[in-house]
Amino acid sequence: MKIGIAGHRGLSDDVERLVRQQLVEAVSARTPEDLVGVSCIADGPDAWFAQAVLDHGGRIEVVVPAEGYRNGQPSRGYGGTADVVAHAIRTGVPVRVLWPDNASRD
């Protein structure tokens, strides 16, 4: 089953805690073998969701929505694009990256 997410960054600590909890609960209700998380893994809920999918044993599909997308992402904190993809690769989880036409792959 594919599940997608679109989140919002800059949440308060209380809201972050609740969102993370809900993401883990939603992902945990699925069978890991059939779970594919679809996200652009921006910082915040998008990355938390992707990490929850990986932690549960699922796979991720990373959607890169525009050329230069990563350049607009904050480099602070755990859970950014590079961290989630690196974790997936280290643990042998298949990662499928969907690039827009003519986008830079760096």
Side-chain angles (χ1 to χ4, degrees), residues 68-80:
Y69 171 72
R70 284 179 31 185
N71 298 334
Q73 297 297 309
S75 59
R76 64 178 164 27
Y78 175 77

Side-chain angles (χ1 to χ4, degrees), residues 9-10 13 15-16 26 30 32-34 36 40 42 55 57-58 60 65-66 71 73-74 80 86 88 105:
R9 54 177 115 151
D13 291 344
V15 172
E16 176 180 339
R30 308 288 182 230
E33 300 81 25
D34 298 325
V36 178
C40 60
D55 290 346
I60 58 173
N71 298 334
Q73 297 297 309
R105 300 318 197 248

